[in-house]
């Protein structure tokens, strides 16, 4: 196992000495929200205050995180700001629904993501990945690629073939462009939203995203209609997520999903599952390129384990790779910012949270908090190995959230990431393009600014 002494501190914003004023805050939230944090945020467990935007609390104490996401979760709803950003694209799918609508959807969708069900997607994931390997093989040795773009394409293809086995029926490249466009326009925080201005005032970014949204909705409606027809005509429907969705029933009421929830959830799975996983993989390849000792470990596991047993058990055979992935999700959690609005007054770790307050739990901050991690800014996957892994507080490490609203796609994403890491590492080595400066930037998900230029070389 590589010694932790080869300390590598991957790029992150330098904590601010003083908090930002109103205009600075709006500009920074729009430009790159992970740059708002001050030194105190990285050192203190709970910060509560009144700001121009209203009452705000930032919780980085595992006990507090537990209270908000689990013990008193009923008192915390998704706040209006994130709903305004997400709802235009995702409708009222699982990520954005609240109350009884959310509970009914979660009950209906849970069977689609059980470990057993997810393991049935492993072969489709591997098949799409092998196509990705073939694509890379056509590159010249040492050719420059944008890893973020490549991972976006691959994770979209994997989703495409697990959601709808016969594919989207439209060009994946066009679909990918539409998804990227969506994140760069609709997904950007609008100053009007930050100021809480009424919805009838148009948001420029959202107007620009409208066409994309319509294109999205059209593509998904076509696919649903075609599948319904296939089933109605007595055809053998493939056992992919779409068929499972069409069959999904609320176990309490026996009711199927409403038509609009079907479409919202397909778009939600793409919206929530595509960029997040692509970013996690991109960051992991970047970190490996900077830590040759760990890359050698992952290469050894990939060489010896990929074909050594069932593909759905690959994760269990690759503990080092899994530790690298978990460390990557710690340093660069794709969902860097989670927030809720308090419904009634509450007390969290001795601090009073008033009704209406916006409570932020930032995995980015929590995962680099000085009181919770040893050398928090260093890349050290040994944290996630053996007994050390067991000592990590469940609520100090939350790349997939926690409590009843924990990511439903967690098992899916982890299985997919290991399959992709194993296949690509066995075949290629990726190095950061010389002269490129890596900078994390938050655009709904935490991504490398300007992509991740890397050089791809086949391994002998
Ligand atoms: C590395 C990849 C991923 C990361 C880091 C991630 C992260 C998260 C986080 C942090 C949440 C909780 C949000 C909150 O509490 O406000 C969440 C929720 C969710 N995720 Fe993921 N996710 C990933 C992959 C996926 C995939 C592959 C899918 C689907 C195929 C998915 C679907 C969802 C859905 C539907 C929710 C809403 C769950 C609910 O509210 O009941 N995610 N995700």
């Amino acid at each position: 196992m590589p010694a932790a002494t080869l300390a590598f501190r991957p790029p992150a914003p330098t904590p601010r000495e003083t908090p930002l004023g109103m205009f600075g805050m709006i500009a920074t939230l729009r430009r790159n929200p992970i740059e708002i944090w001050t030194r105190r945020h990285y050192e203190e467990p709970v910060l509560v205050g009144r700001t121009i935007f209203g009452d705000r609390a930032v919780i980085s104490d595992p006990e507090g995180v537990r209270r908000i996401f689990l013990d008193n979760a009923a008192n915390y709803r998704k706040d209006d700001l994130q709903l305004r950003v997400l709802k235009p694209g995702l409708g009222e799918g699982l990520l954005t629904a609240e109350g009884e609508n959310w509970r009914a959807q979660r009950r209906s969708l849970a069977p689609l993501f059980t470990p057993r069900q997810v393991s049935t997607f492993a072969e489709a994931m591997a098949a799409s990945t092998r196509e990705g390997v073939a694509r890379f093989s056509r590159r010249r040795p040492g050719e420059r690629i944008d890893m973020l773009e490549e991972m976006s394409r691959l994770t979209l293809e994997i989703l495409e073939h697990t959601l709808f086995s016969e594919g989207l029926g439209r060009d994946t490249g066009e679909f990918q462009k539409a998804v990227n466009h969506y994140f760069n326009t609709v997904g950007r925080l609008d100053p009007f939203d930050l100021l809480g201005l009424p919805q009838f005032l148009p948001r420029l970014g959202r107007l620009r995203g409208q066409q994309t949204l319509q294109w999205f909705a059209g593509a998904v409606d076509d696919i649903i209609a075609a599948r319904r027809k296939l089933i109605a005509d007595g055809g053998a429907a493939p056992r992919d997520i779409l068929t499972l969705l069409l069959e999904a029933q609320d176990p309490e009421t026996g009711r199927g999903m409403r038509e609009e929830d079907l479409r919202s959830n397909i778009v939600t799975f793409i919206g929530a599952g595509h960029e997040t996983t692509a970013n996690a993989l991109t960051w992991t390849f970047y970190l490996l390129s900077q830590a040759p000792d760990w890359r050698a470990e992952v290469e050894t596991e990939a060489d010896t384990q990929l074909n050594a047993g069932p593909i759905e058990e690959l994760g269990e055979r690759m503990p080092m790779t899994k530790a690298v992935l978990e460390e990557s999700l710690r340093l660069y959690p794709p969902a860097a910012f989670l927030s809720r609005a308090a419904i009634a007054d509450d007390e969290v770790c001795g601090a009073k949270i008033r009704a209406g307050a916006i409570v932020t739990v930032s995995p980015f901050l929590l995962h680099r908090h000085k009181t919770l991690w040893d050398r928090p800014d260093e890349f050290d996957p040994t944290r996630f190995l053996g007994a050390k892994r067991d000592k990590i507080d469940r609520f100090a490490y939350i790349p997939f959230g926690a409590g009843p609203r924990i990511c439903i796609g967690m098992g899916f994403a982890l299985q997919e990431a290991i399959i992709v890491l194993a296949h690509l590492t066995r075949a290629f080595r990726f190095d950061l393009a010389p002269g490129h400066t890596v900078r994390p930037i938050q655009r709904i998900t935490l991504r490398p600014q300007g992509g991740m230029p890397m050089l791809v070389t086949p391994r002998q």
Side-chain angles (χ1 to χ4, degrees):
M1 188 192 312
T5 44
L6 277 172
F8 158 51
R9 291 168 71 100
T14 309
R16 298 181 173 279
E17 288 303 329
T18 48
L20 287 156
M22 178 170 93
F23 292 113
M25 179 70 102
I26 291 177
T28 310
L29 282 173
R30 218 172 125 66
R31 195 180 61 236
N32 191 8
I34 54 166
E35 288 179 3
I36 63 169
W37 306 122
T38 63
R39 187 173 300 283
R40 283 183 70 197
H41 287 106
Y42 287 93
E43 290 170 1
E44 293 183 28
V46 177
L47 284 169
V48 183
R50 297 200 121 167
T51 73
I52 40 152
F53 304 118
D55 286 343
R56 290 285 185 274
V58 181
I59 311 292
S60 305
D61 181 311
E63 266 310 302
V65 174
R66 186 190 160 102
R67 174 142 188 102
I68 289 150
F69 287 134
L70 182 66
D71 296 341
N72 199 19
N75 188 46
Y76 294 92
R77 61 173 183 83
K78 298 236 167 167
D79 59 279
D80 295 338
L81 181 59
Q82 68 170 306
L83 293 180
R84 262 183 247 145
V85 172
L86 296 173
K87 265 194 182 171
L90 307 183
E92 280 214 32
L94 191 62
L95 189 66
T96 43
E98 285 285 340
E100 190 42 48
N101 183 17
W102 169 77
R103 270 187 291 279
Q105 289 196 39
R106 184 94 193 191
R107 284 194 300 263
S108 308
L109 296 174
L112 276 65
F113 291 95
T114 59
R116 205 163 142 206
Q117 189 61 56
V118 168
S119 72
T120 68
F121 303 137
E123 197 33 65
M125 290 174 174
S128 296
T129 308
R130 285 193 292 270
E131 284 175 28
V133 169
R135 201 159 50 232
F136 277 122
S137 305
R138 291 192 286 274
R139 303 284 193 157
R140 276 176 286 111
E143 191 175 329
R144 187 179 164 120
I145 54 158
D146 179 355
M147 197 51 141
L148 182 59
E149 206 178 299
E150 295 292 343
M151 291 303 103
S152 273
R153 176 163 177 189
L154 183 54
T155 53
L156 189 59
E157 282 168 354
I158 289 176
L159 260 178
E160 186 185 338
H161 290 105
T162 43
L163 282 168
F164 338 103
S165 5
E166 65 278 88
L168 279 166
R170 297 197 185 193
D171 178 30
T172 313
E174 201 184 342
F175 204 77
Q176 189 186 335
K177 254 201 280 171
V179 174
N180 284 340
H181 184 70
Y182 170 72
F183 275 90
N184 285 323
T185 52
V186 184
R188 220 160 153 202
L189 287 177
D190 194 290
F192 282 15
D193 286 335
L194 292 169
L195 291 168
L197 296 186
Q199 282 301 296
F200 61 79
L201 294 173
R203 271 65 169 166
L204 202 61
R206 221 150 286 160
L207 288 179
R208 279 196 237 118
Q210 277 310 317
Q211 262 183 325
T212 313
L213 292 182
Q214 277 162 13
W215 191 93
F216 244 174
V220 172
D221 284 349
D222 289 353
I223 296 166
I224 297 177
R227 182 64 57 86
R228 278 207 196 288
K229 185 165 180 320
L230 176 74
I231 296 173
D233 293 348
R239 304 305 299 163
D240 55 14
I241 295 184
L242 179 57
T243 299
L244 296 173
L245 259 177
L246 290 172
E247 289 173 357
Q249 279 184 349
D250 180 342
E252 270 181 27
T253 61
R255 256 185 252 132
M257 291 209 105
R258 294 181 309 179
E259 197 64 29
E260 71 246 45
D261 293 343
L262 268 177
R263 186 217 277 168
S264 298
N265 278 305
I266 289 175
V267 179
T268 293
F269 293 156
I270 297 169
H274 164 228
E275 283 300 319
T276 42
T277 316
N279 281 308
L281 282 163
T282 304
W283 287 116
T284 307
F285 280 114
Y286 160 68
L287 290 166
L288 287 172
S289 77
Q290 304 302 300
D293 46 352
W294 280 101
R295 184 163 66 182
E297 293 285 343
V298 174
E299 285 173 354
T300 305
E301 280 190 346
D303 294 348
T304 57
Q305 299 305 321
L306 184 53
N307 296 322
I311 187 76
E312 61 275 16
E313 290 166 14
L314 190 58
E316 289 147 49
R317 298 198 297 276
M318 299 187 70
M320 296 289 195
T321 310
K322 199 157 168 255
V324 168
L325 177 63
E326 293 199 288
E327 177 68 340
S328 166
L329 287 166
R330 181 185 73 85
L331 287 164
Y332 297 111
F337 212 92
L338 306 176
S339 55
R340 299 288 191 268
I343 295 168
D345 288 355
D346 192 15
E347 199 178 298
V348 176
C349 302
K352 184 142 178 69
I353 307 288
R354 299 196 318 174
I358 302 296
V359 180
T360 297
V361 176
S362 160
F364 187 85
L365 195 57
L366 188 70
H367 293 176
R368 291 169 181 262
H369 207 270
K370 300 269 184 290
T371 60
L372 301 174
W373 303 89
D374 179 28
R375 297 165 292 110
D377 295 319
E378 282 177 25
F379 174 69
D380 178 11
T382 63
R383 307 173 201 273
F384 291 96
L385 287 172
K388 273 168 115 181
R389 173 77 178 92
D390 302 335
K391 288 207 195 98
I392 297 174
D393 191 309
R394 168 68 197 87
F395 295 90
Y397 179 66
I398 56 162
F400 293 97
R405 295 208 75 145
I406 193 170
C407 176
I408 201 167
M410 177 170 82
F412 184 103
L414 291 173
Q415 173 176 290
E416 172 182 1
I418 293 284
I419 289 175
V420 171
L421 284 168
H423 280 84
L424 290 183
T425 305
R426 192 175 63 153
F428 308 102
R429 188 166 268 189
F430 300 98
D431 291 295
L432 187 66
H436 180 78
T437 306
V438 175
R439 176 172 176 242
I441 182 163
Q442 188 187 339
R443 284 275 177 282
I444 298 193
T445 53
L446 188 67
R447 40 171 62 199
Q449 187 178 29
M452 184 70 81
M454 298 192 96
L455 310 182
V456 50
T457 315
R459 286 182 62 226
Q460 295 309 320

